[in-house]
Amino acid sequence: MSAPVFDPATYDAQLAEKKQRLIELLAPFAAPEPEVFDSPREHYRLRAEFRLWREDGQRHYAMFAPGDKHTPILLDDFPIASLRINELMPRLRAAWQASEALSFKLFQVEFLTTLAGDALITLAYHRPLDEAWQAAAEKLASELNVCLVGRSRGQRLVIGRDYVEEELTVAGRRFRYRQPEGAFTQPNGAVCEKMLGWAYEALGERDDDLLELYCGNGNFTLPLATRARRVLATEISKTSVNAALANLADNGVNNVELVRLSAEELTQALNEVRPFRRLAGIDLKSYDFGSVFVDPPRAGMDPDTCELTRRFERILYISCNPETLAANIAQLSDTHQVTRCALFDQFPYTHHMEAGVLLERR
């Protein structure tokens, strides 16, 4: 991750540019004007990753401009990161400066925090971690009131939990989430909460079933499950599946079946191309799907998965890459039209943006 150019004075102009870009991308599909959900101007990013750079005999937090691995940007703080990360940065640096066990061959630090105030720090090393490291790390975790993960080749030592706990409110209900170290989570918690609220409202109250592809740790699954009769959700990452199952149980959500399949594999299963052992016990024919929710990776949906979504009355689509979103809409535009769209500014001060569309059958 490279450091964005941070200048709150430019925020409104940048957001207006993103809105205009999204309008232009969706113009061929006669999309309505996007609803715009802005970000906090600073302290919005809940996770951050820093390389460490030695200078004057000390290790410093460092980032690099894209394409330049040799000119570090040394940091004492990081204004776009959460207040919790900024509070932890100097305290962690003081701890490694005071401890050979913590600092020896330490090359990378990752912070993962939540709006609820939880924090986990991952320390990555070019050496095996021993009992001296374990003792120092346990003391540090207690002093900082964080969980710690130590990583080196073939080693992963956990002090406390290997996940943080988040709470997000959607339509007046609080949902609790376990967010594992090393797995994907939305980096901008305030905007994530707005995305969940928009998706909840756009789906509406349904008396039929929902298919969800790329469900991750259940970020959208939990609130959307309260809008449908039943949900069949899929995710390929084992870490994310385990977190999603825990999150469903923690929140008492019991109308969701979760299967560890890729979107492409589920498409094959629904098309009866081949059976999957991981679908044993799940009667696909018993579902009455009216809507599909997708939140694919940057590459968007592959053509076969895109064709699968065409079967549904409603396609609710969250995208981190509006270019591939537009390409997918183009494939669907003969049968579905965009009836709602939104811009979510997950990544201020960068060109990246998150978008949402509701496509309904013509």
Side-chain angles (χ1 to χ4, degrees):
M1 184 181 71
S2 60
V5 177
F6 172 71
D7 182 2
T10 66
Y11 179 82
D12 290 340
Q14 288 188 21
L15 186 58
E17 282 179 21
K18 289 181 182 180
K19 178 183 176 184
Q20 188 56 37
R21 197 166 103 240
L22 184 60
I23 288 172
E24 290 168 5
L25 279 167
L26 299 183
F29 315 112
E33 184 164 330
E35 303 162 67
V36 178
F37 297 88
D38 67 345
S39 170
R41 289 1 179 212
E42 57 184 345
H43 302 309
Y44 53 83
R45 191 176 175 89
L46 294 176
R47 61 176 196 253
E49 175 185 305
F50 303 101
R51 298 294 293 222
L52 298 189
W53 189 269
R54 286 189 74 94
E55 199 164 281
D56 302 326
Q58 296 287 357
R59 282 181 176 82
H60 301 268
Y61 296 108
M63 285 184 161
F64 299 85
D68 180 356
K69 295 292 186 190
H70 305 290
T71 313
I73 304 163
L74 303 184
L75 302 166
D76 292 317
D77 56 18
F78 195 40
I80 72 167
S82 67
L83 288 169
R84 185 85 165 102
I85 291 174
N86 280 275
E87 178 251 329
L88 287 168
M89 286 173 69
R91 297 175 66 193
L92 176 61
R93 182 169 56 199
W96 81 55
Q97 286 174 350
S99 168
E100 178 73 8
L102 290 174
S103 66
F104 184 55
K105 296 205 172 178
L106 173 65
F107 73 94
Q108 185 167 296
V109 174
E110 298 169 28
F111 294 92
L112 178 61
T113 62
T114 66
L115 295 176
D118 205 5
L120 183 150
I121 299 173
T122 301
L123 305 175
Y125 291 86
H126 287 311
R127 67 170 176 98
L129 303 178
D130 54 17
E131 290 179 4
W133 180 88
Q134 180 92 22
E138 288 175 359
K139 180 171 178 285
L140 176 63
S142 175
E143 289 171 353
L144 298 184
N145 190 27
V146 300
C147 297
L148 270 177
V149 174
R151 285 185 174 274
S152 69
R153 188 185 296 275
Q155 253 186 321
R156 181 175 178 271
L157 302 182
V158 178
I159 315 261
R161 291 179 268 106
D162 65 352
Y163 59 87
V164 290
E165 295 179 328
E166 179 63 288
E167 289 189 0
L168 300 172
T169 300
V170 183
R173 176 173 171 179
R174 291 185 76 74
F175 293 93
R176 298 195 316 279
Y177 293 89
R178 301 183 190 188
Q179 299 180 337
E181 183 259 352
F184 175 78
T185 53
Q186 298 286 351
N188 189 326
V191 174
C192 177
E193 207 167 50
K194 294 176 181 181
M195 278 202 313
L196 295 178
W198 181 85
Y200 174 93
E201 186 187 314
L203 179 63
E205 192 71 45
R206 297 290 158 205
D207 57 6
D208 52 14
D209 302 329
L210 172 69
L211 175 65
E212 180 182 5
L213 308 179
Y214 323 95
C215 78
N217 72 344
N219 185 45
F220 286 93
T221 319
L222 299 184
L224 294 185
T226 69
R227 301 294 257 174
R229 189 182 64 165
R230 290 194 297 163
V231 179
L232 178 65
T234 71
E235 170 57 47
I236 192 61
S237 159
K238 191 178 289 187
T239 302
S240 293
V241 166
N242 290 337
L245 290 170
N247 291 335
L248 291 167
D250 289 349
N251 289 275
V253 176
N254 54 21
N255 64 334
V256 177
E257 290 270 16
L258 200 156
V259 291
R260 193 167 75 83
L261 291 175
S262 69
E264 293 82 358
E265 288 171 331
L266 186 74
T267 299
Q268 292 175 349
L270 288 169
N271 289 337
E272 299 182 354
V273 173
R274 66 188 181 102
F276 290 88
R277 282 200 305 275
R278 281 168 279 172
L279 283 168
I282 293 177
D283 181 5
L284 292 178
K285 288 189 166 61
S286 72
Y287 284 89
D288 176 23
F289 292 121
S291 309
V292 59
F293 175 78
V294 297
D295 182 10
R298 287 190 61 76
M301 291 189 287
D302 68 276
D304 288 346
T305 303
C306 207
E307 280 304 305
L308 171 70
T309 66
R310 190 193 295 279
R311 301 178 188 179
F312 300 85
E313 286 296 313
R314 282 165 302 281
I315 305 165
L316 189 54
Y317 191 143
I318 297 288
S319 168
C320 60
N321 184 350
E323 277 79 11
T324 55
L325 169 66
N328 283 159
I329 295 173
Q331 186 176 338
L332 297 164
S333 61
D334 58 331
T335 54
H336 288 70
Q337 61 185 352
V338 180
T339 56
R340 291 184 69 165
C341 66
L343 164 63
F344 308 101
D345 197 21
Q346 278 269 7
F347 309 99
Y349 315 111
T350 76
H351 72 280
H352 295 295
M353 62 175 163
E354 201 101 355
V357 296
L358 176 65
L359 293 143
E360 296 185 277
R361 190 178 299 283
R362 292 184 181 278

